[in-house]
Amino acid sequence: MSAAAGNDADSLVVEFYAPLYRFAFSLCGSQAPASDLTQETFYRYLTSGGAIRDPSKVKGWLFTTLYREFLRSYRRNARFPHLELEEVESDLPKVEAADMEQIDGQLAMDALQEVDEVYRGPLSLFYLESLSYTEIAAMLEIPVGTVMSRLSRGRSHLRQILKNRLSAEDRKVIPLGNRTSGRS
Amino acid sequence: MFILGACPPGPWPTDDAQVAEALAFAESDPGLQAWLVETRSFDAAMAGRLRSIEPPADLLDSILAGRRATPAPVPRRRWTTRTVLALAATIALVIAVPAAWISFSQKTDAAALRKDAATFLSEKWEHDFDYPESSFPKIQEWAAQQSFHARLDAPAALAKSRTYGCKVFKWRGHTATLVCFVPEGQSQVVHIISVDRSALPTDGTASPDQRQLAKAGEWNTASWHQGARSYVALTQLTPETLSRILAVKSL
């Protein structure tokens, strides 16, 4: 690889490694596999022989490749059962926007992990990359209508999970004088 | 509600007529307006929390070290001195060898199509379409009107499925088409690449009732011929699911 090409590749890695890692982490839920997915994605790009000639398409290629690799390698190990959200959607309480003050990044990511995988991919790109529904559809190779539906149901499920988490926190007994150690 | 809820946190898109229409409608409905404000507020907070997650401290160094250890890729479509010399040597070799050997070396069959199709999807295709279209009948109509006059078919279960569009490219000198289907109830795409059957003169590709399943790279594939064309389907669905989709008979 020439020095110029090497510098370009380094710049590309620096620009995209963090958003790709966050996407990978949101999909598989732990640090080691998320790092592996990110590295594998860059390896595929760097060994592709410059197949992506249009620089504007590199980002999409990287996210699509990472998602495909996730589906290939990790999907069979999904930890959470599929929920028929329509059956439970209207009955369960959901977290309010005002409650978000009580939620930090780790709790938000933990809750996202509990969302069924089919909703998690679109939700991750929606929240982490602020992508439009058409961009998400192209990256995940699913129809636009399906993206809209999954965002709506996924968000609803996410809010239920966050509500449950906060309720569980509230039920914890915290001794007087130690309240700073809990979420409040 | 559906479309506004699918817009990410941040400024509203200015080039989406559907969003503009939905926003105008929301302004006239106080209940919908309240829902929108609350949902946008939740989305903005959620996005901020998730983006606060930092990658491991050593990940960047690790990737950059891996990059430097990665063998240099072979650039495509660049005419270097080495490429020209290699091409000249190849031409000389082809001229010198017996005709029978030439015939053998140029043999094209379903396995070659399968392998090249997998490489095309994984490495070369840039997810663009010559004819973006969600209806397969319209793609059929379009393909028949092009200079290559392809008469495209699809298994019954796919023919009524939503499509992304059609891409036309060259495979070993022959015009090939790629159509991307989203089978009903599935989250993965089934890509179908086809060429004129005359492109596979030595092929024993099966009829539609005897589709051949095989693995090619990261793809599960099936190949068959129908009418004047040969087909290969590629997907990341399981072989069982692919087989089930392709085996569905016409209604």
Side-chain angles (χ1 to χ4, degrees), chain A:
Chain A
M1 187 180 290
S2 70
N7 289 337
D8 287 347
D10 282 359
S11 302
L12 188 93
V13 171
V14 171
E15 182 176 356
F16 289 117
Y17 89 98
L20 278 173
Y21 170 82
R22 288 190 192 99
F23 183 45
F25 192 93
S26 73
L27 292 173
C28 56
S30 52
Q31 185 172 306
S35 296
D36 289 347
L37 268 178
T38 308
Q39 297 220 37
E40 175 65 18
T41 302
F42 280 115
Y43 177 79
R44 285 181 177 236
Y45 177 79
L46 295 167
T47 55
S48 68
I52 312 301
R53 292 180 294 280
D54 182 349
S56 68
K57 292 182 177 173
V58 169
K59 180 180 176 182
W61 189 94
L62 289 170
F63 277 86
T64 301
T65 300
L66 189 148
Y67 189 65
R68 282 180 179 170
E69 182 63 20
F70 163 73
L71 293 178
R72 192 182 69 77
S73 305
Y74 295 94
R75 193 174 204 175
R76 293 189 189 112
N77 300 324
R79 291 173 299 160
F80 300 103
H82 177 76
L83 293 178
E84 293 300 332
L85 288 177
E86 283 181 324
E87 293 175 7
V88 296
E89 210 168 22
S90 59
D91 299 333
L92 298 175
K94 300 181 179 70
V95 74
E96 303 293 328
D99 298 330
M100 290 300 286
E101 289 296 321
Q102 304 172 58
I103 291 167
D104 62 15
Q106 190 56 54
L107 181 55
M109 192 61 90
D110 288 348
L112 186 59
Q113 294 307 303
E114 286 192 49
V115 177
D116 192 89
E117 182 227 293
V118 296
Y119 305 108
R120 211 183 319 144
L123 277 178
S124 298
L125 292 174
F126 180 81
Y127 286 126
L128 290 170
E129 292 300 308
S130 288
L131 295 180
S132 71
Y133 50 85
T134 50
E135 290 171 313
I136 294 172
M139 279 190 187
L140 303 187
E141 300 173 317
I142 52 180
V144 166
T146 304
V147 171
M148 289 183 181
S149 162
R150 289 183 183 178
L151 286 175
S152 175
R153 293 179 184 185
R155 179 197 287 112
S156 180
H157 192 195
L158 180 63
R159 295 182 76 155
Q160 290 166 9
I161 293 166
L162 284 167
K163 183 67 178 177
N164 290 341
R165 293 254 180 169
L166 287 182
S167 299
E169 290 280 322
D170 288 345
R171 285 197 294 271
K172 285 181 183 172
V173 177
I174 303 171
L176 288 173
N178 285 344
R179 289 195 64 84
T180 53
S181 63
R183 285 189 181 89
S184 60

Side-chain angles (χ1 to χ4, degrees), chain B residues 10-116:
Chain B
W12 293 106
T14 55
D15 57 349
D16 191 322
Q18 285 183 298
V19 171
E21 189 182 341
L23 276 173
F25 181 74
E27 282 177 9
S28 65
D29 184 330
L32 184 55
Q33 185 70 21
W35 171 87
L36 189 58
V37 168
E38 207 274 344
T39 300
R40 298 283 286 178
S41 175
F42 169 81
D43 285 344
M46 190 69 194
R49 302 299 186 279
L50 291 175
R51 289 175 197 169
S52 70
I53 298 289
E54 289 297 327
D58 59 349
L59 180 61
L60 178 59
D61 288 341
S62 176
I63 295 171
L64 290 175
R67 201 280 295 164
R68 285 166 193 130
T70 302
V74 180
R76 292 187 176 88
R77 299 179 186 178
R78 287 184 188 168
W79 293 92
T80 62
T81 305
R82 176 180 283 189
T83 308
V84 172
L85 288 174
L87 185 61
T90 303
I91 291 170
L93 194 63
V94 168
I95 290 172
V97 296
W101 189 89
I102 294 174
S103 172
F104 177 78
S105 68
Q106 292 182 338
K107 185 173 91 172
T108 52
D109 55 17
L113 177 60
R114 205 159 47 226
K115 180 171 176 287
D116 290 351

Side-chain angles (χ1 to χ4, degrees), chain B residues 8-233:
Chain B
W12 293 106
T14 55
D15 57 349
D16 191 322
Q18 285 183 298
V19 171
E21 189 182 341
L23 276 173
F25 181 74
E27 282 177 9
S28 65
D29 184 330
L32 184 55
Q33 185 70 21
W35 171 87
L36 189 58
V37 168
E38 207 274 344
T39 300
R40 298 283 286 178
S41 175
F42 169 81
D43 285 344
M46 190 69 194
R49 302 299 186 279
L50 291 175
R51 289 175 197 169
S52 70
I53 298 289
E54 289 297 327
D58 59 349
L59 180 61
L60 178 59
D61 288 341
S62 176
I63 295 171
L64 290 175
R67 201 280 295 164
R68 285 166 193 130
T70 302
V74 180
R76 292 187 176 88
R77 299 179 186 178
R78 287 184 188 168
W79 293 92
T80 62
T81 305
R82 176 180 283 189
T83 308
V84 172
L85 288 174
L87 185 61
T90 303
I91 291 170
L93 194 63
V94 168
I95 290 172
V97 296
W101 189 89
I102 294 174
S103 172
F104 177 78
S105 68
Q106 292 182 338
K107 185 173 91 172
T108 52
D109 55 17
L113 177 60
R114 205 159 47 226
K115 180 171 176 287
D116 290 351
T119 303
F120 176 76
L121 287 184
S122 298
E123 299 177 10
K124 297 178 181 174
W125 181 41
E126 295 181 353
H127 294 187
D128 56 326
F129 292 103
D130 295 296
Y131 183 56
E133 172 55 51
S134 60
S135 159
F136 181 60
K138 288 187 179 174
I139 289 177
Q140 285 177 303
E141 197 175 309
W142 176 82
Q145 291 168 353
Q146 303 308 300
S147 58
F148 49 89
H149 299 301
R151 179 180 161 78
L152 301 180
D153 285 303
L158 288 179
K160 293 177 184 173
S161 300
R162 189 182 176 88
T163 58
Y164 280 121
C166 182
K167 170 78 178 172
V168 179
F169 61 102
K170 285 289 182 186
W171 178 69
R172 303 194 182 192
H174 301 275
T175 300
T177 61
L178 160 67
V179 180
C180 304
F181 295 88
V182 184
E184 195 173 339
Q186 300 295 335
S187 59
Q188 293 288 305
V189 175
V190 174
H191 307 276
I192 294 192
I193 287 177
S194 79
V195 293
D196 193 282
R197 208 180 162 199
S198 63
L200 307 176
T202 62
D203 181 47
T205 309
S207 67
D209 292 336
Q210 300 168 314
R211 295 189 174 97
Q212 296 174 335
L213 295 173
K215 185 86 177 168
E218 62 187 315
W219 302 93
N220 291 313
T221 78
S223 48
W224 71 96
H225 68 73
Q226 185 167 0
R229 294 189 74 78
S230 294
Y231 296 86
V232 57

